[in-house]
Amino acid sequence: MAVSLHHIVIDTYDLPGLARFWCGVLDWRVLSEKAREVVIGPDEFAGTGICFMPVSDPKTVKNRLHFDLAPDDQETEVERILALGARRVDVGQGEAVGWVVLADPEGNEFCVLRPKASLIAFRDASAPLGP
């Protein structure tokens, strides 16, 4: 039996607000918007999308799962994402790393990496281990 990753689900207080933020970050669009679910993706036939589901309990600890974004230009992308509503956060990453840690408007951490050529060319060998 074959299996594929369909959605990554993010719990949120503000379904349309957080969906719009991530659409802006990823240059995706809202594919489906219901009272208890908003789905975004590059298009409706893409392999994987993000589904936002409502919750009432607040986020209280660092994420156990996060996105790593690999832009063409890290510095420019960080500034663009900050302008969309993200903020810089410190999760203990230190200064000498090849990524910038940000949080979306609801505090979900994610990283903006230096440009990458492949999934296994993940980090500069001289940088300490991190995300």
mmCIF file of all heavy atoms in Angstrom, residues 1 8-9 24 30 39 46 59-61 69 73 76 94 102 110 118 120:
data_model
loop_
_atom_site.group_PDB
_atom_site.id
_atom_site.type_symbol
_atom_site.label_atom_id
_atom_site.label_comp_id
_atom_site.label_asym_id
_atom_site.label_seq_id
_atom_site.Cartn_x
_atom_site.Cartn_y
_atom_site.Cartn_z
ATOM 1 N N MET A 1 0.843 -1.179 0.000
ATOM 2 C CA MET A 1 0.000 0.000 0.000
ATOM 3 C C MET A 1 0.887 1.240 0.000
ATOM 4 O O MET A 1 1.771 1.379 0.832
ATOM 5 C CB MET A 1 -0.894 -0.011 1.239
ATOM 6 C CG MET A 1 -1.796 1.185 1.299
ATOM 7 S SD MET A 1 -3.067 1.003 2.548
ATOM 8 C CE MET A 1 -2.374 1.965 3.860
ATOM 9 N N ILE A 8 -0.388 19.057 5.986
ATOM 10 C CA ILE A 8 0.214 19.355 7.280
ATOM 11 C C ILE A 8 -0.850 20.196 7.984
ATOM 12 O O ILE A 8 -1.353 21.167 7.413
ATOM 13 C CB ILE A 8 1.526 20.136 7.119
ATOM 14 C CG1 ILE A 8 2.536 19.272 6.366
ATOM 15 C CG2 ILE A 8 2.055 20.587 8.476
ATOM 16 C CD1 ILE A 8 3.732 20.009 5.856
ATOM 17 N N VAL A 9 -1.241 19.811 9.188
ATOM 18 C CA VAL A 9 -2.324 20.500 9.893
ATOM 19 C C VAL A 9 -1.738 21.409 10.961
ATOM 20 O O VAL A 9 -0.882 21.000 11.747
ATOM 21 C CB VAL A 9 -3.303 19.478 10.524
ATOM 22 C CG1 VAL A 9 -4.411 20.190 11.282
ATOM 23 C CG2 VAL A 9 -3.885 18.577 9.439
ATOM 24 N N GLY A 24 0.767 34.180 1.957
ATOM 25 C CA GLY A 24 1.734 35.224 1.610
ATOM 26 C C GLY A 24 3.168 34.737 1.660
ATOM 27 O O GLY A 24 3.973 35.034 0.788
ATOM 28 N N VAL A 30 -5.707 30.160 -1.000
ATOM 29 C CA VAL A 30 -6.726 29.419 -0.257
ATOM 30 C C VAL A 30 -7.460 28.532 -1.258
ATOM 31 O O VAL A 30 -7.962 29.003 -2.280
ATOM 32 C CB VAL A 30 -7.718 30.376 0.445
ATOM 33 C CG1 VAL A 30 -8.874 29.604 1.060
ATOM 34 C CG2 VAL A 30 -6.993 31.199 1.507
ATOM 35 N N VAL A 39 -7.964 25.281 3.904
ATOM 36 C CA VAL A 39 -6.893 24.534 3.244
ATOM 37 C C VAL A 39 -6.213 25.460 2.236
ATOM 38 O O VAL A 39 -6.894 26.141 1.454
ATOM 39 C CB VAL A 39 -7.443 23.288 2.512
ATOM 40 C CG1 VAL A 39 -6.335 22.581 1.728
ATOM 41 C CG2 VAL A 39 -8.094 22.337 3.503
ATOM 42 N N ALA A 46 -1.889 19.859 -6.153
ATOM 43 C CA ALA A 46 -0.531 19.740 -5.599
ATOM 44 C C ALA A 46 -0.462 18.527 -4.685
ATOM 45 O O ALA A 46 -1.482 18.072 -4.153
ATOM 46 C CB ALA A 46 -0.168 21.005 -4.831
ATOM 47 N N LYS A 59 -1.051 28.140 22.531
ATOM 48 C CA LYS A 59 0.250 27.506 22.329
ATOM 49 C C LYS A 59 1.124 27.894 23.520
ATOM 50 O O LYS A 59 1.204 29.060 23.873
ATOM 51 C CB LYS A 59 0.872 28.000 21.019
ATOM 52 C CG LYS A 59 2.240 27.412 20.741
ATOM 53 C CD LYS A 59 2.812 28.012 19.460
ATOM 54 C CE LYS A 59 4.184 27.492 19.143
ATOM 55 N NZ LYS A 59 5.207 27.761 20.123
ATOM 56 N N THR A 60 1.769 26.916 24.137
ATOM 57 C CA THR A 60 2.525 27.226 25.357
ATOM 58 C C THR A 60 4.002 26.845 25.299
ATOM 59 O O THR A 60 4.770 27.300 26.130
ATOM 60 C CB THR A 60 1.892 26.525 26.573
ATOM 61 O OG1 THR A 60 1.850 25.121 26.333
ATOM 62 C CG2 THR A 60 0.488 27.049 26.847
ATOM 63 N N VAL A 61 4.413 25.987 24.382
ATOM 64 C CA VAL A 61 5.814 25.557 24.318
ATOM 65 C C VAL A 61 6.316 25.617 22.881
ATOM 66 O O VAL A 61 5.540 25.757 21.940
ATOM 67 C CB VAL A 61 6.009 24.118 24.865
ATOM 68 C CG1 VAL A 61 5.622 24.035 26.334
ATOM 69 C CG2 VAL A 61 5.227 23.120 24.053
ATOM 70 N N LEU A 69 12.289 26.818 5.540
ATOM 71 C CA LEU A 69 12.088 27.430 4.229
ATOM 72 C C LEU A 69 13.457 27.730 3.618
ATOM 73 O O LEU A 69 14.331 28.257 4.293
ATOM 74 C CB LEU A 69 11.288 28.724 4.366
ATOM 75 C CG LEU A 69 9.963 28.628 5.120
ATOM 76 C CD1 LEU A 69 9.306 29.996 5.214
ATOM 77 C CD2 LEU A 69 9.041 27.616 4.472
ATOM 78 N N ASP A 73 17.291 34.052 -1.555
ATOM 79 C CA ASP A 73 18.043 35.096 -0.853
ATOM 80 C C ASP A 73 17.505 35.176 0.577
ATOM 81 O O ASP A 73 16.410 35.702 0.809
ATOM 82 C CB ASP A 73 17.875 36.428 -1.575
ATOM 83 C CG ASP A 73 18.615 37.578 -0.913
ATOM 84 O OD1 ASP A 73 18.712 37.629 0.322
ATOM 85 O OD2 ASP A 73 19.085 38.465 -1.660
ATOM 86 N N THR A 76 16.720 38.865 2.171
ATOM 87 C CA THR A 76 15.547 39.492 1.558
ATOM 88 C C THR A 76 14.269 38.783 1.985
ATOM 89 O O THR A 76 13.256 39.413 2.290
ATOM 90 C CB THR A 76 15.676 39.464 0.019
ATOM 91 O OG1 THR A 76 16.847 40.200 -0.337
ATOM 92 C CG2 THR A 76 14.465 40.062 -0.660
ATOM 93 N N GLY A 94 21.601 30.419 18.907
ATOM 94 C CA GLY A 94 22.901 31.082 18.916
ATOM 95 C C GLY A 94 23.101 31.972 17.699
ATOM 96 O O GLY A 94 22.209 32.154 16.883
ATOM 97 N N LEU A 102 12.053 32.399 12.974
ATOM 98 C CA LEU A 102 10.939 33.333 13.035
ATOM 99 C C LEU A 102 9.738 32.616 13.630
ATOM 100 O O LEU A 102 9.728 31.390 13.732
ATOM 101 C CB LEU A 102 10.584 33.836 11.627
ATOM 102 C CG LEU A 102 11.665 34.550 10.842
ATOM 103 C CD1 LEU A 102 11.154 34.923 9.441
ATOM 104 C CD2 LEU A 102 12.152 35.789 11.565
ATOM 105 N N PHE A 110 9.423 28.746 12.838
ATOM 106 C CA PHE A 110 9.893 28.179 11.579
ATOM 107 C C PHE A 110 11.245 28.803 11.257
ATOM 108 O O PHE A 110 11.614 29.816 11.846
ATOM 109 C CB PHE A 110 8.877 28.376 10.440
ATOM 110 C CG PHE A 110 8.577 29.812 10.103
ATOM 111 C CD1 PHE A 110 9.227 30.437 9.041
ATOM 112 C CD2 PHE A 110 7.638 30.532 10.818
ATOM 113 C CE1 PHE A 110 8.940 31.755 8.713
ATOM 114 C CE2 PHE A 110 7.340 31.841 10.500
ATOM 115 C CZ PHE A 110 8.000 32.464 9.439
ATOM 116 N N SER A 118 19.810 20.908 -2.421
ATOM 117 C CA SER A 118 19.145 19.608 -2.302
ATOM 118 C C SER A 118 18.661 19.417 -0.868
ATOM 119 O O SER A 118 19.004 20.185 0.024
ATOM 120 C CB SER A 118 20.096 18.474 -2.673
ATOM 121 O OG SER A 118 21.015 18.227 -1.626
ATOM 122 N N ILE A 120 19.612 17.018 1.102
ATOM 123 C CA ILE A 120 20.699 16.546 1.961
ATOM 124 C C ILE A 120 21.827 17.558 2.107
ATOM 125 O O ILE A 120 22.655 17.421 2.973
ATOM 126 C CB ILE A 120 21.238 15.181 1.508
ATOM 127 C CG1 ILE A 120 21.739 15.249 0.082
ATOM 128 C CG2 ILE A 120 20.193 14.108 1.700
ATOM 129 C CD1 ILE A 120 22.424 13.994 -0.388
#
